[in-house]
Amino acid sequence: MILEEIRRTGAVQVHALVARLGVSDMTIRRDLDVLAKRGLVEKVYGGATSAVGRSTHEPGFEAKSVRSLPQKEAISARAAGLIRPGTAIGISAGTTTWMFARFLEGVPDLTVVTNSIRVADVLRSGGRGDRTVVLTGGVRTPSDALVGPVAVQTLRSLHLDMVFLGVHGMAEGPGFTTPNINESETDRALVEAGRKLVVIADHTKWGVVGISTIAALEEADVLVTDDGLPVEAVQVLRERVGELIVAEAPEFAEAEA
């Protein structure tokens, strides 16, 4: 049943399975351990998602949204602190940027351009009069990004102070990558529209390579990640990106994953 649910929705959460099956939390976690050891699922914070590996594999938004939650929150808090009131920023699509959008409540007088339906929903929900949200048009992807010629044309006509980019993977050679070719073109247009590029990516993205490169490591003025990043990765990134910010995630995160 667990495998069927993951194949249908892309992810499961422990608390939901406990309620649905009427078993203990530990029973579900043991089942997920067995499935993970067989390579059938990938364990994440609070649940599991489908196993990944292909450079073109693109999990849906719901599947990705349950991964590395404490790390994404820590990264988002640090990244939000980089924004000055009264600026124009761009935010790409993704679950990390979606989390990041929640931390912008305390920043007044913002203009936000995004190709993410989810990010736009978060920013519009507050109903603030001092905030302008511009949602590009385009074709919707599995990660709820709007991509394609319409989105690219819109972004190429804009000039932003900062761009916050979420990525599928990052590696020494390919740089920052995505499994969706159409999304990479739109993300590159977003990067080009900004004077400063801030990449926000948790440690699990290191060594993951999607089919298409968005930007080289050197193009990132700032990379905000978490303290789960391997030592060798920290060394590479300190040499390649403009500034590396390492956020401290809660210590209990790994234990509960």
Side-chain angles (χ1 to χ4, degrees), residues 46-66:
T49 66
S50 57
V52 299
R54 304 186 309 276
S55 63
T56 56
H57 177 75
E58 183 176 13
F61 187 92
E62 299 301 336
K64 292 188 291 185
S65 66
V66 297

Side-chain angles (χ1 to χ4, degrees), residues 231-250:
V231 174
E232 61 273 16
V234 171
Q235 293 174 343
V236 170
L237 291 169
R238 287 200 188 280
E239 294 175 358
R240 303 283 291 277
V241 303
E243 179 185 1
L244 180 65
I245 297 176
V246 179
E248 294 185 9

Side-chain angles (χ1 to χ4, degrees), residues 8-82:
R8 186 177 68 84
T9 65
V12 292
Q13 293 182 306
V14 172
H15 68 84
L17 292 173
V18 167
R20 181 173 177 179
L21 299 176
V23 296
S24 71
D25 179 279
M26 289 307 301
T27 295
I28 295 298
R29 292 185 184 276
R30 281 194 295 267
D31 286 348
L32 294 179
D33 283 338
V34 171
L35 294 173
K37 288 176 182 178
R38 294 179 183 176
L40 299 174
V41 304
E42 179 181 347
K43 288 189 67 183
V44 297
Y45 182 77
T49 66
S50 57
V52 299
R54 304 186 309 276
S55 63
T56 56
H57 177 75
E58 183 176 13
F61 187 92
E62 299 301 336
K64 292 188 291 185
S65 66
V66 297
R67 297 177 179 175
S68 306
L69 288 179
Q71 289 82 2
K72 290 176 181 177
E73 290 182 348
I75 289 167
S76 297
R78 291 294 299 273
L82 301 175

